[in-house]
Amino acid sequence: MKKLFLAILAVMMMTSLFAAGRKESKVETETAVKEAAPVTIRLGGLKGPTSMGMVKLLDDAEKNLTVNKYDFTMAGSADELTPRFLKGELDILAVPANLGAVLYNNSNGAVSMIAINTLGVIYIVEKNGDTINSLADLKGKTIYATGKGSTPEFALRYLLDQKGLDLDTDVTMEWKSEPTEVVATMATKDNAVAMLPQPFVTVAGNQLKDLRIAIDLTKEWDSLNNGSKLITAGLIARKDFLEKNPEAAAAFLKEYAASTAFANENIPEAAALVEKYNIVKAPIAQKAIPFCNIVCITGKEMKDSVSGYFQVLFNQKAAATGGKLPEADFYWINE
């Protein structure tokens, strides 16, 4: 009887251990699946080059070819996106680079920059004339533009200052909310002068006869040899999103880098996708992409380039970076 009791007890113990093992294995499997599950990243971008670099990423996501899932919102101005971003309704934005610093300083450091996505794309254009061939020629002119309080304004302000001109007194700025408004205004004015980014320089050239590119602000900036780059836009993220989803954020940057490479290396195909996502028509995009300086610069190179650019802006006007320079934790370097 004793031997029989011991045998039954042994069988019961083995059964219990097997069941516990199955339960533990099930928990481990469920945890692994949970960790491997894709994150839905809510992206925001502007209608222009800041969004053109991500069109392949968006197309791949629709085909379930990406690690993450993406919910994309495009707007005509950053003002439409930043309130939602700060409320936690968007995770990553492609916006003017200096706006990242402003939001960081106005949110007690709740924002990080994760990449530079657009270098210089800003041009001065002139309709029906050949009177502007240098920055000095802008004195006394009325300039139609977008970007008040962001990269276009501060870049032009800085460059004019280097030539002894003051944006507030030597030129008249007429600010519009979107580039399409600038193009529409130029259509009604003779000898109009405007500051536009690509691809809207190309859009304007297709719509307006005798439009010429008078000044490339990137070339003007580079000629100063001040140790910084003219940076139009970057990718910023909410810090709490990065802290909760570092792997998803890293996967996004990898997928985004591949998307920008595709845009630069496969221009006709990328142009078709730009039209698909209602940024501009494919023929316009095909002409504009080579001039849009679409990039994905991350890590230390991003930090060095952006911090140098911010220093130039801050020295010019502290408000350009939100009153002070961002601290080191503003730069997300996932290396």
Side-chain angles (χ1 to χ4, degrees):
M1 289 294 292
K2 183 177 181 181
K3 289 183 178 180
L4 178 61
F5 173 74
L6 291 174
I8 293 171
L9 181 61
V11 171
M12 290 174 65
M13 291 176 65
M14 289 179 64
T15 302
S16 177
L17 288 171
F18 177 70
R22 287 184 62 187
K23 183 177 181 181
E24 182 178 348
S25 176
K26 182 180 180 182
V27 170
E28 289 176 350
T29 301
E30 289 178 347
T31 300
V33 170
K34 184 177 181 181
E35 291 176 350
V39 171
T40 297
I41 298 179
R42 298 163 300 175
L43 298 175
L46 302 182
K47 192 167 185 176
T50 66
S51 295
M52 289 167 71
M54 64 177 73
V55 292
K56 183 64 164 65
L57 168 69
L58 299 175
D59 187 60
D60 284 348
E62 286 186 17
K63 299 172 181 174
N64 295 317
L65 299 176
T66 55
V67 173
N68 300 303
K69 296 182 181 299
Y70 296 99
D71 181 5
F72 178 59
T73 300
M74 187 169 63
S77 71
D79 291 343
E80 299 174 51
L81 299 175
T82 51
R84 295 183 58 193
F85 177 70
L86 294 174
K87 287 192 293 185
E89 296 174 2
L90 294 171
D91 303 312
I92 297 174
L93 295 186
V95 291
N98 77 297
L99 180 58
V102 172
L103 294 177
Y104 171 89
N105 285 323
N106 291 340
S107 65
N108 296 316
V111 175
S112 291
M113 177 165 278
I114 62 175
I116 299 168
N117 80 331
T118 317
L119 295 175
V121 295
I122 308 168
Y123 299 83
I124 301 293
V125 296
E126 182 180 20
K127 174 188 169 187
N128 297 332
D130 191 17
T131 63
I132 297 172
N133 295 289
S134 69
L135 288 167
D137 294 333
L138 292 175
K139 186 172 183 178
K141 299 290 187 181
T142 295
I143 304 173
Y144 304 100
T146 61
K148 181 174 175 58
S150 63
T151 300
E153 178 189 351
F154 295 122
L156 182 59
R157 183 179 294 277
Y158 171 68
L159 291 171
L160 289 177
D161 182 71
Q162 299 305 298
K163 301 298 182 181
L165 299 176
D166 188 325
L167 183 72
D168 297 321
T169 59
D170 290 315
V171 300
T172 299
M173 299 299 301
E174 288 203 11
W175 297 104
K176 306 296 182 182
S177 61
E178 296 185 28
T180 51
E181 288 186 53
V182 175
V183 177
T185 300
M186 292 189 76
T188 66
K189 307 286 185 180
D190 290 330
N191 306 112
V193 177
M195 177 171 62
L196 283 169
Q198 286 287 8
F200 297 100
V201 171
T202 303
V203 170
N206 277 14
Q207 294 183 11
L208 307 174
K209 292 183 178 179
D210 299 322
L211 187 83
R212 57 179 285 270
I213 294 176
I215 302 172
D216 179 343
L217 295 195
T218 302
K219 289 183 178 179
E220 294 291 333
W221 190 286
D222 291 344
S223 70
L224 298 174
N225 196 27
N226 61 13
S228 71
K229 295 179 180 178
L230 175 54
I231 300 170
T232 298
L235 299 173
I236 60 172
R238 289 184 297 104
K239 195 165 291 182
D240 63 339
F241 170 80
L242 295 174
E243 290 170 351
K244 293 175 184 175
N245 304 282
E247 296 86 2
F252 162 73
L253 284 178
K254 185 175 181 180
E255 292 173 338
Y256 184 81
S259 184
T260 60
F262 179 88
N264 289 316
E265 296 166 9
N266 302 273
I267 293 175
E269 295 88 345
L273 292 176
V274 168
E275 178 171 330
K276 173 184 175 180
Y277 291 100
N278 198 33
I279 300 174
V280 291
K281 295 293 186 182
I284 298 292
Q286 189 161 337
K287 291 180 181 179
I289 287 173
F291 304 99
C292 285
N293 275 327
I294 297 168
V295 296
C296 182
I297 300 173
T298 60
K300 187 176 183 301
E301 184 182 357
M302 169 195 69
K303 180 180 178 181
D304 291 346
S305 297
V306 174
S307 60
Y309 172 65
F310 283 171
Q311 186 67 62
V312 170
L313 295 186
F314 178 78
N315 291 344
Q316 180 70 23
K317 189 173 183 178
T321 60
K324 58 183 179 179
L325 293 172
E327 301 292 337
D329 67 325
F330 173 67
Y331 304 97
W332 193 69
I333 302 177
N334 188 42
E335 295 177 344

